[in-house]
Amino acid sequence: MKSIIIALCAFLLVLSGLAGCNAAGPDDVLVVCNSNSPVSMRIAAYYMSKRGISDSRLVTVKTVDSSASAANESISPDDYIEQIHKPIADYLAKHSLVNKIKYIVLTKGIPFRLSGDPTGGTSGGLSVDSVLTTLGMSNPISVNLGDKGHPVVNRYWRSKEPFSHQKYGGYLVTRLDGYTEGDAKALVDRAIAPAPEQRVILLDADAKKGLGDAAVQPKSILNDSGTGVNDVPVSFPDFNADMIHLSNMLPDKSNTQVVLDKTDSFICISKPLTVYVSWGSNDGKFNTDVYHNIKFGPRSLAETAVSSSGRTLLKTTGGQSLIADLIAQGTAGAKGYVTEPYLVSMASPSVFIDLYLSGRNLAESFYAGSRFLAWKDIVLGDPLCSLAEK
């Protein structure tokens, strides 16, 4: 009997140790602010105060203030390396943080788009945030998309474990940003507000694009051995089918309501959402008023299959729908794209939502659901935001 008790205690200690290693916290976060942007510095200070992040986890860069004008939202590849990439890399090395940091949080005021694609792609500039995810990564596997560009395969795709720099290389990069300083700070408040008792998920497919085969979702890029890539395109019907796959796989729980619309309508519902996925302005029946009526609860996430949903984080008119509107409407996090990324780049609904509902944080959920790095992606929100956090 005594040996059984000893064994049980040892087992519980192991579980306790594993839980401690897996739990992400303030010491895992590096915050980046721009000394040329008062807005950036205030947001960084606000976030660090709310999350209890030490001053040792703050690095200051000096570059153009993206909050000042749309022109400043872009930066040349050379200036990015000198003004953003190198200062962050040097800080991590100097303070022995290379293997201690998991998440890098950029703040409004730091440019988020390269003015071109250094890999020769012709579909628009890369995302500063996405390029930064590969900082310190050894032997990245690139994908040849021809004249579209050469993104890096995300080794963290569909990962079932917490992220670590040691295993996967690079860092998970998110941003506290939006139309206003208030919107950016609200991302922090929504991440630490009490988790919703009722989880409401709205999946708005577009039947006219085809509903696809849910049984083969989600399609991967990285092959089974992890040494190369599959030539597997993701089509319009696949994105719809991925939503259907998620709806099929989610357990029937009293605290979770899944609304799956498989018609060609563009809808919203009256309840505040926990997760929202749609085609945005690419939906054949897109309605601006409906889009702006979508409301969110605390700790909520959103993804739209829109090529330029993250093209600006300043107020504008015209063009495709923007994730900055969803931030202004109350979501705690969203994924978007600074230039044309192609459908394969969208976060897989059946991956990122399943992980998020299971308790993984915002950064791990969005990145585990995304196939590429060093590409067009931008993730807004506090990386530590989680439905499981007390």
Side-chain angles (χ1 to χ4, degrees), residues 302-381:
E303 164 71 300
T304 58
V306 177
S307 300
S308 60
S309 59
R311 68 185 178 277
T312 185
L313 293 167
L314 296 172
K315 277 288 186 180
T316 188
T317 58
Q320 294 184 307
S321 56
L322 293 162
I323 56 170
D325 283 320
L326 301 181
I327 299 299
Q329 289 162 216
T331 189
K335 187 167 183 272
Y337 308 89
V338 301
T339 57
E340 176 59 66
Y342 306 99
L343 192 59
V344 68
S345 306
M346 308 297 158
S348 162
S350 65
V351 177
F352 93 84
I353 298 174
D354 181 50
L355 289 174
Y356 192 62
L357 294 178
S358 72
R360 300 283 287 282
N361 64 38
L362 175 152
E364 291 178 342
S365 299
F366 271 133
Y367 277 99
S370 302
R371 297 170 178 87
F372 293 155
L373 301 175
W375 193 229
K376 315 298 185 72
D377 314 43
I378 182 171
V379 176
L380 303 185

Side-chain angles (χ1 to χ4, degrees), residues 94-114:
K94 180 179 178 181
H95 296 274
S96 302
L97 295 174
V98 170
N99 290 318
K100 295 178 181 178
I101 294 299
K102 297 179 180 180
Y103 317 106
I104 297 177
V105 177
L106 306 179
T107 46
K108 186 174 185 64
I110 297 174
F112 57 82
R113 179 178 49 244
L114 299 186

Side-chain angles (χ1 to χ4, degrees), residues 129-144:
D129 306 36
S130 190
V131 172
L132 188 59
T133 63
T134 62
L135 175 66
M137 182 179 292
S138 60
N139 303 315
I141 301 171
S142 64
V143 182
N144 185 355

Side-chain angles (χ1 to χ4, degrees), residues 13 98 114 116 122 126 188 222 232 369:
L13 283 171
V98 170
L114 299 186
T122 59
L126 303 181
V188 183
L222 197 63
V232 181

Side-chain angles (χ1 to χ4, degrees), residues 238-258:
D238 286 325
F239 192 72
N240 282 332
D242 206 344
M243 294 188 223
I244 298 169
H245 176 51
L246 172 71
S247 179
N248 292 340
M249 66 188 282
L250 286 180
D252 184 16
K253 293 184 177 180
S254 60
N255 71 336
T256 303
Q257 177 186 2
V258 181

Side-chain angles (χ1 to χ4, degrees), residues 78 104 157 172 237 257 266 285 302 327:
D78 288 344
I104 297 177
W157 160 251
L172 303 187
Q257 177 186 2
F266 185 76
K285 294 290 183 68
I327 299 299

